[in-house]
């Protein structure tokens, strides 16, 4: 995957068909990113990384029953949840080339005109259904009978319905003529426009060249990549853009697109800008998405402060002022308060032998699993974090410790990726809470569940956050992963309260309406066109929204003083 900088890489990563990392890499990366976020920003908000789901064995249900929980308790849940199951968008299925839509075939013909060897190359086709249906196509040519040497390799991403070119990666194309001289802004823009015009036709005129953000600390602006951003009626269309980069020989090397690029190129279906309502209604809607949270400050003696932060997609319907969901970021909505009965149990492990005992502590059967230290490099682990691994057949069992305390476990095996969930969200929530309670610190009296629940095959991932005085404590969270068919607990990650912590009185804060007005003084709303997300599908009809610019530059408000605190 070729990208000009880290930002573009991580933007493209979820859309790649092979973006799923190795299981042993995921937790180490998550821990490292959490550690760096805390160090750099000294504020742990929104550290809920959705890279992959992790899993564990079936023995946990038996362990839960041993704690005094019987199957009868599962027959009728005490929860009535508004949570929604959200499928992992990077799941894809291989199909035959002959199953491609006619629109996609027409786009392929245009690619063949530019790259004739693609026509005869071997093709692997994968289809992803959500949040829009797209094809990922690999082109390969092998230069020896053993099929070990590849002379051509490229990838293309096409919209299944319209055939729109959404991505291109020319990793290895033989015989390309080298264009001499360092790339200039003008030359790169000219090449990019000419290339895209072949696929967009006159619609290319809806896109404007804009400054491409470079990596933080870059000394000079690079001219080997450009960005095309779409505008209609002089209003930016969010999520509809291309980043186009050159390769080593000065030819088009890669194309990345936004999540909603090419959804609807018919300008006539965009609401006229002279019909744009006053932002007053949207401004009033902002108060509904201002969320009060406790955020950690200090390191040794841990204190918390009260902050208001915007917790939404960043877009408010211009007509109603209500939040509009989007693929760019959907915000985090939470359930009502859930009272818990903490058990305060904990397990320690400083060796592979003790790791096996800690897994049994979490209710897992470890007989026949030889535990060893994992091979994840130390620099990828969190502070004082260690990982232990055991493998038996296709099952991989892992335990994570922090300061020798067991904080997470999982078991991975292929069957968990197959099938779909059959249990209701309420049933899954019931099981998750019953599992969590024995391991919660005695100071944890209530939690709230994130209502975006992520699903991969049969695996369902539930996230909970501690609550104090009715306010979320962002850096104290709990993750439980379940088999969506059997209800078995197949993974967990725990955090724990700090030894010394203080929380200010939440009754002394300013109102959400006052916080919204402070926010608007520093981040005024601006109009955008947006393709909304409904039922995990991008809608083809664009709507007018007001954007609070949270994706580019945001901040928060001191909930007691009302002072604006930019990042």
């Amino acid at each position: 995957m070729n990208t000009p900088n880290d930002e573009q890489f991580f933007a493209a990563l979820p859309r790649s068909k092979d973006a799923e990392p190795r299981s042993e890499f995921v937790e180490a990366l998550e821990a490292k990113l959490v550690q760096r976020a805390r160090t750099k920003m000294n504020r742990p908000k929104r550290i809920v990384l959705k890279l992959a789901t992790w899993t564990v064995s079936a023995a946990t249900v038996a362990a839960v029953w041993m704690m005094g929980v019987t199957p009868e308790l599962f027959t009728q849940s005490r929860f009535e949840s508004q949570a929604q199951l959200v499928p992992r968008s990077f799941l894809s299925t291989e199909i035959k080339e002959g199953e491609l839509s006619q629109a996609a075939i027409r786009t392929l013909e245009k690619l063949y005109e530019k790259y004739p060897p693609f026509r005869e190359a071997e093709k692997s086709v994968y289809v992803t259904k959500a949040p829009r249906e797209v094809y990922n196509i690999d082109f390969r040519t092998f230069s020896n009978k053993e099929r070990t040497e590849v002379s051509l390799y490229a990838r293309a991403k096409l919209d299944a319905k319209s055939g729109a070119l959404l991505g291109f990666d020319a990793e290895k194309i033989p015989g390309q003529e080298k264009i001499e001289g360092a790339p200039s802004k003008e030359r790169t823009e000219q090449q990019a426009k000419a290339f895209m015009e072949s696929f967009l036709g006159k619609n290319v005129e809806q896109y404007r060249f804009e400054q491409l953000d470079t990596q933080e600390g870059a000394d000079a602006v690079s001219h080997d990549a450009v960005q095309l951003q779409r505008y209609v009626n002089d209003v930016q269309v969010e999520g509809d853009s291309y980043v186009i980069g050159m390769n080593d020989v000065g030819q088009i090397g890669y194309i990345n697109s936004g999540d909603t690029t090419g959804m609807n190129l018919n300008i006539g279906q965009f609401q006229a800008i002279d019909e744009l309502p006053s932002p007053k209604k949207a401004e009033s809607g902002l108060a509904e998405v201002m969320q009060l949270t406790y955020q950690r400050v200090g390191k040794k003696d841990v204190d918390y402060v009260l902050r208001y932060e915007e917790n939404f997609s960043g877009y408010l319907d211009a007509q109603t002022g209500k939040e509009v969901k989007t693929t760019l970021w959907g915000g985090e909505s939470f359930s009502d308060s859930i009272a818990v009965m903490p058990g305060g149990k904990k397990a320690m492990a400083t060796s592979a032998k003790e790791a096996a005992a800690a897994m049994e502590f979490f209710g897992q059967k470890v007989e026949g699993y030889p535990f060893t230290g994992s091979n994840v490099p130390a620099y990828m682990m969190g502070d004082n974090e260690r990982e232990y691994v055991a493998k038996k057949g296709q099952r991989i069992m892992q335990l994570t410790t922090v300061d020798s305390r067991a904080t997470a476990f999982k078991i991975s095996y292929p069957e968990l990726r197959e099938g779909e969930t059959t249990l209701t969200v309420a049933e899954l929530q019931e099981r998750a809470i019953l599992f969590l309670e024995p391991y919660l610190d005695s100071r944890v009296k209530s939690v709230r569940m994130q209502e975006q629940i992520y699903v991969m095959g049969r695996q369902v991932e539930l996230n909970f956050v501690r609550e104090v005085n009715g306010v979320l404590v962002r850096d104290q969270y709990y993750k439980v992963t379940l088999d969506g068919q059997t209800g078995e607990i197949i993974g967990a990650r725990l955090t724990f309260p700090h030894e010394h912590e203080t929380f200010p009185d939440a009754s002394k804060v300013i109102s959400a309406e006052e916080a919204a007005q402070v926010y608007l003084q520093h981040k005024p709303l601006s109009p955008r066109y947006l393709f909304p997300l409904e039922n995990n599908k991008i809608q083809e009809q664009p709507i007018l929204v007001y954007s609070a610019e949270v994706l580019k530059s945001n901040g928060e408000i001191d909930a007691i003083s009302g002072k604006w605190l930019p990042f």
Side-chain angles (χ1 to χ4, degrees), residues 294 446 467-471 503-506:
Y294 279 118
S446 63
E467 184 182 56
V468 174
N469 301 324
V471 179
F503 296 94
D505 187 353

Side-chain angles (χ1 to χ4, degrees), residues 22-41:
R22 299 194 325 269
S23 61
E24 67 267 23
F25 174 77
V26 174
E27 302 301 337
L29 176 60
E30 177 175 350
K32 190 66 176 178
L33 293 179
V34 170
Q35 176 194 20
R36 288 192 173 183
R38 288 173 176 166
T39 301
K40 182 176 180 180
M41 303 175 68

